[in-house]
Amino acid sequence: MEGASGSCPFAVPAGTRAAEQHPAGPRQAGSTEPSDEEPPGEGLDHHEVMGDGDQGVLKPEGPFSASPENASPVASTNSSTLPELISSEREEETSRNAVLSENVTSSTGTGSVIEGTQTVMWSRAEFHETTQSEKLCLEVLPSKAAQQDYHMPDVIAVRVQMDSDSFHDVAVKIERPTFRKPFLGGFKNRVTGVEFHNAGSQTVPKKRPEKGTTLFCRETQTVFERNRYQQTTNPTSTQMTKRGLYVSNMSDKLITPGKYLTAEEYHKRRLEAVIVLQKYFRRWHARNVVQNLKEKKRLRLAWEAQEELQRKKEKEDKLRMEQERKLNPKTKEDFELLYHALELWRQEETERINRTLTGAERKAALCGLLEQETELIASIGRHKLNADQDNQQKAVLRFLDKCAQPKKWKACDGKITEMDTQYTLRARELLEIYRSVSMNDIPKDERRDVLLLLRGTVKEHECKLTEEIVELIDRELDLMAREVKECNLEGLRKRICTLFLQYIKIPKFNPEVAKILKVPPDPLKLYKNIHFCRSCENYLPASEFPIPANSRTIGRCHLCCKLDNEARRRESFLKYRLILESLRKSEADYQDDATIVFLVQQQHLQYMIENIWGCQSALSACNDLYDLVMVRWDKQQEWSPWNTILLTKDEADAHLKLDNLQEAYEAPFIHGIKHKHIRAKKYFAQIPVMTSLFHRSDKQANAS
C-alpha cells in the first residue's frame, strides 16, 4: 500500500503515535526547543506538519529553500499537552484491540472504497489530536532524535464507519514500493539538510512500447569537449657554474642537434613510405588475384575434362546399345536400325565394286553381293519371327497380370489401399496356371501335376471349349506315359496353351477380363471410317493409314509402308523420333499452350532436318543426330518451323540463356537463320492447318 497515506492522509497506524511519544517523554521537561523537522515515513510521502502558534512554526522564507514547484505543507491549529495525548492514545489503543479481536478483517488496502458505501474515515477530533501530538513531539524531541528514520509497520488499522453511530476497524497490509519514486519538486531545509517533497507517485510508470529499433540517449550521441591547461605546477631552473659555485658535470649528457628536416623533405619521406606500402599491398593483391584465377582455371579444366569424359561415355553407351539392338533385335525400331545398317553396307560394297572392278568381274561381284544380301535378309526375318513370338508371349503375360492386379485407391492421407476381390483372386489363379502350362523343360512329374490341376480347373464349366481342353490334356498324359519324346509334344502343348488362353479371355470364366477386353465396334459405324489400301488391296480403318497434314488422298497403310521401307529405302526413323519427343517435352515445360509442335509429324520434322538444316548443327556443323536437338530461335515466342534452330545439346543450353540475339550473333549468321525460316514457312504453307497459325505467330513477333 504505497500510496495509502498519500491519497488518504487520515490513515495512521495504531502504534505509530505511541512509538513517537515514548522517546520524547523523558525530555519533555528539560527541552522546550521546537523540532525543525518530522521524521518522514515510508508510506506518508514526507508531509511537513506545522502549527499556527508562535513556537515550532517553520516558515519557507526562514531556513528553507523552496523548489521550483510550489509547496503546500499541512498546517494544524489545535494544540494540547503531552500527558493528555499519551493518556488518550493508551485508551484508544485498548479499545481498538478489544474491537479488533472480534471483527478484524484482513485486506490489502488501496485507500479507496471498501464495500458499497463504506468509506475509510477518521474523526476530526482524532485528526486534530494526532496533528497536535506530532507537533508536540517536534517541539519536545531533540534534533538528533527527530532525524531518526521512521519505519512504517506492515499492518495498520483503519476505522470504517458502518452506520451513523457504528464503526468497524479493518487491518490493512502495507505494500512496499518496488521502484523508486520520481522527484516532482519540493524544498530543502538548509540547516538540517532534510528534503520535503510536494507529491509522490502511487502507480508504476508505464513502460514505453518496444519499437524494434535500438534508441540512444543524447549523451551517447553528443561529443563533450573539455579544455585542460598543460602547465607544470612547479617551476624548474638550471643552475650553472659561476664564481663561488661549482656544479659537477659528471652526470650531464651531450646533445648535438641533428639535420634539420624541412616540410618538403618530410612530405617526400611520407610519400615514399606510402609508395612502399602500396607496392607491397599491390603485390599481395595481385598474388591473390592470380591464385584465384589459377584455381578457377583448374576447376574449369577439370569440369571440361569431366564433361568430355561424360560425353564420350554417353556416346560409347549409345553405340554399344545400338550394337546390342542390332545383334538382338526385339522391337520395330531395332529392326529398322538393322535394315538401315544393311543398306549402308550394300551401298558401300556396291561403290567399292564399281570403283575397283569392271566387266565380268564386276557382274560376278554384284551377283555375290546380292546373294549375301539375300542371306542377311533371311537371317533378319528369322530373328523377326522369334522376336514376334517373344513379344506376343510377353504381351499375353502383361495382359493376364493386369487382370490379376488388386483394386487400388488413394486415401485422403496419401496412403494407397489395395483390396483383392473374388474376381481378382480368380484371375491370379488362372495366371499362375497359365505360366506353369507354358513353361518348358520341366520334369515329367511336375508337368503331370500341372496338367491335372488344369483339368480340374476347366472341368468346373462344361462347354465345347473345356471338353476340347480336357481331351488334349488326356492325350498328352497318355503320350507321356508311352515315353514319347518331348520334341514331338510341342505342337500339342501349344494347342493346350492357346485353348486355355481362349478360356481365360471369356468373361464367364474370368469376370475380371471383361474390363480389359476391347469391345468390338458396331459394324454399321465402321462403314463410315473404312478406307481401301491400293497396295495390299484391303479395307482397313482410318487408324491404320499414315495421313500427313498436307495429303489430299489416302495412301498406303502402315504395313505396306513398312514393307516398302524394308525392301527399298531401308531408312531408320528412330533418331527423328527421339528429336521430336525431346522437342515436345521441352515445349510442354514452357506451359504457354504451344500447339504447333504437336501438329508437326515425324515426316515433317525429317524433311526440315534433312532438306532445310542439312542434318547438322547451325553453329558447329555437328552431324551426329543423336546429339542434335531443336529449340526455339526466339524463346519469347511459341515454337514453330519458322522459329527454330538445330543445335547440339550444349549449344542449345547456351542459346536459351541469351537475352539479345542481335548482340550475341553476327548479322550474316542471323540472315542465314532467317532464310531457313522462310524456306520452312514456304513448305508448311501447303498444309491447310498451318496457314491459320501464320497470322498468330506474326502477331506474337510484332508484340515482342
Side-chain angles (χ1 to χ4, degrees):
M1 185 176 174
E2 177 62 26
S5 60
S7 60
C8 183
F10 306 104
V12 180
T16 302
R17 291 186 293 273
E20 293 175 354
Q21 292 172 3
H22 287 299
R27 306 176 66 94
Q28 181 177 5
S31 177
T32 59
E33 296 178 359
S35 177
D36 293 335
E37 62 178 326
E38 178 185 358
E42 293 182 2
L44 294 178
D45 293 342
H46 309 293
H47 289 290
E48 177 68 19
V49 182
M50 294 179 293
D52 293 340
D54 297 334
Q55 299 178 352
V57 178
L58 300 177
K59 296 182 180 181
E61 61 271 18
F64 292 92
S65 62
S67 63
E69 298 183 5
N70 295 331
S72 57
V74 180
S76 176
T77 57
N78 297 334
S79 61
S80 67
T81 60
L82 183 60
E84 293 177 357
L85 290 173
I86 295 174
S87 60
S88 61
E89 284 294 325
R90 291 177 178 176
E91 293 176 0
E92 184 179 355
E93 184 177 1
T94 304
S95 60
R96 187 175 300 166
N97 293 334
V99 176
L100 285 174
S101 61
E102 297 178 0
N103 49 6
V104 173
T105 304
S106 298
S107 171
T108 59
T110 59
S112 59
V113 179
I114 304 296
E115 295 181 2
T117 59
Q118 300 178 5
T119 58
V120 180
M121 297 178 57
W122 205 3
S123 63
R124 183 174 184 82
E126 190 174 356
F127 172 74
H128 290 300
E129 182 181 357
T130 304
T131 55
Q132 290 294 335
S133 174
E134 293 177 352
K135 176 182 177 182
L136 186 58
C137 290
L138 290 174
E139 297 174 355
V140 175
L141 291 175
S143 59
K144 184 176 181 180
Q147 291 179 358
Q148 295 180 356
D149 294 338
Y150 170 73
H151 298 282
M152 174 66 71
D154 295 336
V155 180
I156 63 173
V158 179
R159 177 167 294 180
V160 180
Q161 183 177 358
M162 305 298 293
D163 295 331
S164 59
D165 56 350
S166 62
F167 296 90
H168 180 65
D169 291 341
V170 180
V172 180
K173 293 182 179 180
I174 302 301
E175 294 182 357
R176 302 298 179 184
T178 58
F179 65 98
R180 185 176 181 181
K181 296 181 181 179
F183 178 73
L184 301 179
F187 54 90
K188 178 180 179 182
N189 192 330
R190 294 180 179 176
V191 178
T192 60
V194 178
E195 294 182 358
F196 298 89
H197 297 171
N198 292 339
S201 60
Q202 297 181 357
T203 58
V204 180
K206 185 178 181 181
K207 293 183 179 180
R208 294 183 180 180
E210 294 290 341
K211 298 182 179 180
T213 57
T214 305
L215 302 179
F216 299 96
C217 61
R218 180 173 176 270
E219 286 74 8
T220 59
Q221 299 178 359
T222 307
V223 178
F224 293 95
E225 297 181 354
R226 182 180 298 176
N227 298 327
R228 291 184 179 179
Y229 295 99
Q230 301 296 334
Q231 182 66 29
T232 57
T233 57
N234 298 326
T236 59
S237 61
T238 303
Q239 184 68 41
M240 303 296 293
T241 303
K242 65 179 182 177
R243 185 178 297 177
L245 178 62
Y246 172 76
V247 178
S248 177
N249 58 359
M250 298 300 295
S251 61
D252 293 349
K253 295 181 181 179
L254 182 62
I255 299 176
T256 57
K259 183 180 178 181
Y260 180 74
L261 188 66
T262 62
E264 294 181 358
E265 294 175 349
Y266 171 76
H267 290 297
K268 184 179 179 180
R269 288 178 56 186
R270 297 284 293 179
L271 181 60
E272 292 176 354
V274 169
I275 292 175
V276 171
L277 291 176
Q278 289 182 353
K279 286 180 180 179
Y280 282 101
F281 173 76
R282 289 173 181 175
R283 177 187 176 187
W284 172 81
H285 183 67
R287 184 182 299 173
N288 290 341
V289 171
V290 171
Q291 291 294 336
N292 292 335
L293 292 177
K294 287 183 179 179
E295 183 66 18
K296 290 181 180 179
K297 180 181 178 181
R298 185 186 64 81
L299 295 176
R300 179 69 181 183
L301 294 177
W303 178 79
E304 290 180 356
Q306 185 178 1
E307 290 294 322
E308 187 67 22
L309 292 175
Q310 185 70 17
R311 284 193 292 268
K312 288 183 180 180
K313 184 178 179 181
E314 290 179 357
K315 191 172 183 179
E316 291 176 358
D317 293 341
K318 288 180 181 179
L319 294 176
R320 185 171 60 255
M321 288 293 296
E322 186 174 351
Q323 188 70 17
E324 182 67 22
R325 296 175 74 173
K326 290 179 182 179
L327 294 176
N328 299 314
K330 296 180 181 179
T331 60
K332 295 179 181 180
E333 289 81 5
D334 298 345
F335 285 100
E336 286 181 0
L337 291 175
L338 200 56
Y339 279 110
H340 181 65
L342 176 62
E343 180 63 19
L344 293 178
W345 172 79
R346 188 190 67 81
Q347 292 177 0
E348 291 178 359
E349 291 295 324
T350 303
E351 184 180 358
R352 183 183 62 79
I353 292 173
N354 293 332
R355 187 178 64 254
T356 57
L357 302 177
T358 58
E361 294 180 355
R362 173 178 172 276
K363 290 183 179 180
L366 290 176
C367 291
L369 178 62
L370 181 61
E371 291 179 359
Q372 292 181 6
E373 182 182 0
T374 305
E375 293 178 359
L376 292 175
I377 291 175
S379 176
I380 293 173
R382 288 191 296 270
H383 280 286
K384 193 172 183 180
L385 291 176
N386 296 332
D388 289 341
Q389 292 180 359
D390 295 340
N391 293 335
Q392 185 179 4
Q393 185 67 17
K394 291 179 181 179
V396 170
L397 293 176
R398 197 182 307 112
F399 172 79
L400 297 180
D401 185 69
K402 191 175 181 180
C403 295
Q405 288 294 327
K407 306 295 181 182
K408 297 180 181 180
W409 64 87
K410 191 174 183 180
C412 58
D413 56 352
K415 296 182 179 180
I416 297 177
T417 306
E418 298 182 356
M419 183 186 69
D420 285 321
T421 62
Q422 56 180 351
Y423 300 142
T424 58
L425 295 176
R426 172 68 176 177
R428 196 173 303 160
E429 180 185 358
L430 296 177
L431 172 62
E432 296 298 331
I433 296 175
Y434 181 81
R435 284 179 176 173
S436 302
V437 171
S438 60
M439 289 177 63
N440 297 324
D441 301 332
I442 60 175
K444 293 183 179 180
D445 297 337
E446 295 183 6
R447 179 69 183 180
R448 188 179 295 106
D449 295 338
V450 170
L451 293 176
L452 293 177
L453 178 61
L454 175 60
R455 184 171 61 180
T457 302
V458 299
K459 271 189 175 182
E460 296 176 358
H461 305 87
E462 294 183 0
C463 63
K464 186 177 181 180
L465 179 61
T466 57
E467 292 177 358
E468 186 175 358
I469 294 174
V470 171
E471 182 181 354
L472 293 176
I473 292 172
D474 294 339
R475 186 183 303 176
E476 182 179 356
L477 291 174
D478 183 49
L479 293 176
M480 288 174 63
R482 296 173 182 268
E483 300 294 337
V484 179
K485 296 181 179 180
E486 292 189 2
C487 60
N488 298 327
L489 298 176
E490 291 182 359
L492 180 60
R493 292 176 177 177
K494 288 182 180 180
R495 287 186 62 189
I496 293 175
C497 289
T498 304
L499 294 178
F500 183 60
L501 181 61
Q502 295 180 6
Y503 172 85
I504 293 174
K505 290 184 178 180
I506 297 176
K508 182 179 179 181
F509 308 143
N510 186 15
E512 195 66 23
V513 80
K515 300 179 181 179
I516 303 176
L517 287 176
K518 295 182 179 180
V519 179
D522 189 2
L524 298 177
K525 295 182 180 180
L526 288 177
Y527 294 148
K528 300 179 182 180
N529 200 23
I530 292 294
H531 300 282
F532 179 72
C533 179
R534 300 182 182 274
S535 180
C536 61
E537 296 182 354
N538 291 327
Y539 287 94
L540 300 172
S543 59
E544 298 295 331
F545 291 87
I547 304 176
N550 58 347
S551 64
R552 299 182 182 273
T553 59
I554 301 298
R556 293 174 296 181
C557 62
H558 286 291
L559 183 59
C560 295
C561 293
K562 179 182 175 183
L563 290 176
D564 180 71
N565 182 47
E566 293 176 357
R568 297 180 182 179
R569 295 178 296 174
R570 296 172 182 172
E571 295 179 353
S572 176
F573 304 104
L574 177 62
K575 300 176 181 179
Y576 305 106
R577 188 179 300 113
L578 293 177
I579 294 175
L580 182 60
E581 291 177 358
S582 175
L583 176 60
R584 289 178 176 177
K585 183 179 179 181
S586 62
E587 286 298 310
D589 295 337
Y590 280 103
Q591 297 181 357
D592 55 356
D593 299 332
T595 56
I596 300 178
V597 67
F598 297 99
L599 296 176
V600 175
Q601 301 297 323
Q602 178 179 325
Q603 55 269 23
H604 301 150
L605 188 68
Q606 181 180 356
Y607 176 83
M608 290 175 56
I609 294 175
E610 293 179 352
N611 300 316
I612 297 178
W613 297 97
C615 294
Q616 63 182 6
S617 171
L619 285 175
S620 60
C622 177
N623 56 1
D624 186 7
L625 292 180
Y626 283 113
D627 195 35
L628 296 179
V629 292
M630 269 195 168
V631 294
R632 296 181 179 184
W633 167 251
D634 185 2
K635 62 181 179 181
Q636 303 298 333
Q637 300 180 18
E638 178 185 358
W639 183 92
S640 60
W642 48 92
N643 183 34
T644 184
I645 185 173
L646 185 65
L647 299 170
T648 61
K649 295 180 181 179
D650 297 336
E651 295 170 354
D653 295 338
H655 173 77
L656 293 176
K657 294 179 181 179
L658 299 177
D659 295 330
N660 192 343
L661 300 177
Q662 306 299 330
E663 297 179 358
Y665 299 115
E666 296 181 354
F669 179 80
I670 297 176
H671 179 73
I673 298 298
K674 294 295 183 182
H675 180 67
K676 289 178 170 48
H677 291 168
I678 293 173
R679 291 178 58 188
K681 185 177 289 188
K682 184 178 179 180
Y683 170 76
F684 282 93
Q686 305 173 7
I687 304 175
V689 181
M690 289 293 182
T691 55
S692 61
L693 301 175
F694 288 163
H695 303 289
R696 188 177 71 177
S697 60
D698 294 339
K699 290 180 181 179
Q700 290 181 357
N702 295 332
S704 60

